[in-house]
Amino acid sequence: MRDVFTENRTGMLDVAIVGGGPAGSTLGSLLKKYLPKLKVTIFEREKFPRDHVGESQLPIIGQILDEMGCWNKVEAVGFPIKVGATYRWGQDEGFWDFHFIENGRLAPEARPAKFRGQRVRTAFQVDRSIYDKILLDHAAEMGCNIREGCGVKSACVTEDRVSSLTLDDGSEVQAKWFIDASGHTGILRRALGIEVDCPTSLKNIAVWDYWQNAEWLESVGVGGTRIVIISIEYGWLWFIPLGPTRTSVGLVVPANHFKTLGKRPEEMYLEAVANAPKIGALLANATREGKLTTTKDWSFVSRKMAGPNWFLAGESAGFADPILSAGMSLAHSGARDAAYCIIASERSDYELGWLTSWYEETQRRAISQHIRFADFWYGANGCFTDLIEYTGTIARDAGLNLSPDEAWQWLGTGGFVDHNTVGAGYGGYSLRLTKQISGNFLGTESRYLAGGKNVFLLDLVGATRDWGARLEKGRMSRHRAYRRGNRLLPDVGIYGLIIRHTREGGSAKSIFEALMTKVSTGEVAKQDLSEFVNDSFDAIEAMISDGWLSATYDASLPSLVSPADDLSIVGPRLVLN
């Protein structure tokens, strides 16, 4: 057994990954893709396939699957294409949708399809028993040594370093790098004595089962659909089609309410499913698989996520309430970030101290945004009529006894400029989608600060120079940025161009003429022009929201027009009057 782990000249593995879920498989695949000589072993206590909760994805995952080289494998299965979600939330009896793509409609396209066009902006709804095995098998094909049915019992820690792992069979594993991708178990996190913060009063439990032959609420194009989320008096239900015949249906309730209810989880679950609007009808001719599972669902953020020879990736680093489908996105993106940090360190591109600081800030910001956004969902409308006192506490803790403008300002405390993807958004959602969602909750139109404005002036008062990073094709490239408090403004890409054209004040026309040169020079594909225009508008909007730009109107100049009164479109169109 021990010889398995002494394959290189140093007498140890290069990378030992604890956990073979999406985080572990993503990290292992990317390490082997870009540094194939690394000796990487993934230790997974279970044998795949196995069911797992967390089936609804966000579009960012498609980009990571494509980079890993396994998009085609996942697409070939024919998982439902997630074009958005349908909600009945709060005291509003009606249903409302949000869409990842314009009008939530897929253009006619045969499957399996390539990762391009509309598929870049959509996501999957996956059966984790199939999905996780595809990813783990792919990691093996990339050259990772996979040890299924091989749990890690403990980790030996000296000060802030992990020196070895002890497996369930008693054998010892030594490695240069250790990755905790063990999920909520947090094997390395616990061994290192890392505490966690719970920045929310939300403490829920989730109960779910799988159903065969349920009806879909709606079919969109070829294989497209939406997840369905419905609030009830004491919690909420999810309905996620995973394939032609299998559907995941779950119930989330506050832990305290479950204790006082005095019912068995199955009784509570079946009662909620039967009485929920729409869902009971969708399951009328369906059959339960009888795999009822219960787990706690408490949001948290680890106080430390990286050290001299270790990283926490995925749920071991933090967890956010599943209302926003955050789990898988955080797992994939966090694992990718950790892989790039290890690659950069192995190549001596940047010092380890800067890499670990960048990683921790990036992960903490992403996880905290999802938690804050979830608080917004729960507290904005006082959803649960049976739990008025409880939801009132959420609202007060979240600072939601505010006007719509004040609520938006509270939501964006961490900033809307997404310095990791060099885009604009919040909690993994685009800025325009975040505005649409918050508008639905607050009962207001999604007004844009940039709408109708045409002169923009850069505001760097109190800002200092700092570094951001862009991850692409196995290389981490540092770029200059501005920092003010906990907000970072990348001086690169769209943001860099806007910075250069607004230092002395820039007109809307001059800014967008400069942006369009990126199209004429081939930097942006013509078929992506509409998205590029929307992204550019979002960047300006985010910079105004975060205080980097002031916006005014000059009657002698063309202005930007945002159709804020039309919430049926994905995002603002840009028109020069």
Side-chain angles (χ1 to χ4, degrees), residues 147 459 554 565:
R147 299 294 307 279
D459 181 358
D554 183 335
D565 58 342

Side-chain angles (χ1 to χ4, degrees), residues 469-527:
R470 190 179 187 92
L471 315 182
E472 190 174 19
K473 298 180 180 179
R475 289 284 181 180
M476 174 180 279
S477 303
R478 286 205 313 190
H479 57 72
R480 298 304 297 184
Y482 291 96
R483 179 180 294 279
R484 186 160 53 205
N486 63 346
R487 300 188 179 188
L488 198 72
L489 175 65
D491 192 0
V492 67
I494 292 175
Y495 290 112
L497 190 148
I498 295 171
I499 289 171
R500 290 193 294 276
H501 281 78
T502 57
R503 287 188 182 277
E504 304 298 329
S507 69
K509 186 174 186 295
S510 66
I511 293 170
F512 276 88
E513 283 178 347
L515 288 166
M516 289 304 103
T517 62
K518 290 184 172 290
V519 178
S520 63
T521 58
E523 293 182 58
V524 177
K526 289 185 178 180
Q527 63 265 31

Side-chain angles (χ1 to χ4, degrees), residues 14 52 69 97 142 167 204 232 255 278 301 342 422 431 444 452 497 547:
D14 290 306
H52 201 285
D97 301 330
M142 295 295 292
L167 305 181
N204 297 330
I232 55 178
K278 298 283 187 184
V301 184
I342 292 174
V422 196
L431 184 65
T444 63
L497 190 148

Side-chain angles (χ1 to χ4, degrees), residues 178-447:
F178 294 89
I179 310 298
D180 188 347
S182 62
H184 66 86
T185 305
I187 292 173
L188 297 189
R189 186 188 73 227
R190 296 176 189 276
L192 287 158
I194 298 171
E195 296 183 354
V196 301
D197 293 319
C198 301
T200 176
S201 57
L202 288 173
K203 290 188 175 181
N204 297 330
I205 65 165
V207 186
W208 71 96
D209 203 344
Y210 299 95
W211 296 70
Q212 288 289 333
N213 299 315
E215 298 291 331
W216 288 11
L217 181 64
E218 184 178 7
S219 293
V220 180
V222 180
T225 188
R226 297 180 182 85
I227 64 170
V228 183
I229 301 293
I230 295 179
S231 63
I232 55 178
E233 291 183 346
Y234 49 88
W236 60 274
L237 286 153
W238 77 67
F239 181 95
I240 308 174
L242 307 178
T245 62
R246 200 179 200 211
T247 300
S248 173
V249 182
L251 169 67
V252 177
V253 299
N256 288 339
H257 180 72
F258 171 68
K259 292 177 182 178
T260 59
L261 197 61
K263 295 182 179 180
R264 293 181 297 107
E266 185 172 28
E267 181 183 3
M268 179 181 65
Y269 172 80
L270 291 177
E271 183 178 285
V273 167
N275 295 330
K278 298 283 187 184
I279 290 183
L282 295 175
L283 297 176
N285 298 316
T287 305
R288 274 179 63 205
E289 292 186 7
K291 297 180 178 180
L292 193 80
T293 307
T294 303
T295 187
K296 71 176 186 178
D297 214 6
W298 297 354
S299 299
F300 72 90
V301 184
S302 295
R303 292 186 178 178
K304 190 170 184 179
M305 302 181 192
N309 72 333
W310 56 270
F311 287 87
L312 308 184
E315 195 176 323
S316 65
F319 177 78
D321 189 275
I323 186 66
L324 294 167
S325 302
M328 293 270 278
S329 298
L330 291 171
H332 277 287
S333 59
R336 178 177 184 260
D337 291 344
Y340 269 80
C341 286
I342 292 174
I343 293 166
S345 180
E346 287 289 310
R347 290 172 171 164
S348 299
D349 290 339
Y350 305 109
E351 63 177 12
L352 182 60
W354 181 83
L355 292 168
T356 55
S357 295
W358 174 87
Y359 179 79
E360 286 198 349
E361 180 182 14
T362 301
Q363 304 315 304
R364 183 166 288 107
R365 182 178 191 268
I367 298 166
S368 297
Q369 280 191 337
H370 277 287
I371 293 173
R372 200 171 183 84
F373 209 175
D375 273 357
F376 180 78
W377 281 68
Y378 280 88
N381 282 339
C383 319
F384 313 131
T385 57
D386 276 3
L387 300 169
I388 294 174
E389 182 178 349
Y390 173 78
T391 53
T393 300
I394 294 175
R396 288 191 298 273
D397 289 349
L400 289 172
N401 186 21
L402 305 169
S403 69
D405 287 344
E406 289 171 333
W408 179 254
Q409 186 177 12
W410 168 83
L411 188 64
T413 296
F416 291 105
V417 175
D418 190 337
H419 55 260
N420 191 26
T421 62
V422 196
Y426 191 85
Y429 290 76
S430 69
L431 184 65
R432 49 192 180 273
L433 190 52
T434 306
K435 279 182 172 287
Q436 183 191 9
I437 292 169
S438 65
N440 274 294
F441 281 150
L442 298 173
T444 63
E445 293 180 345
S446 297
R447 296 297 181 186

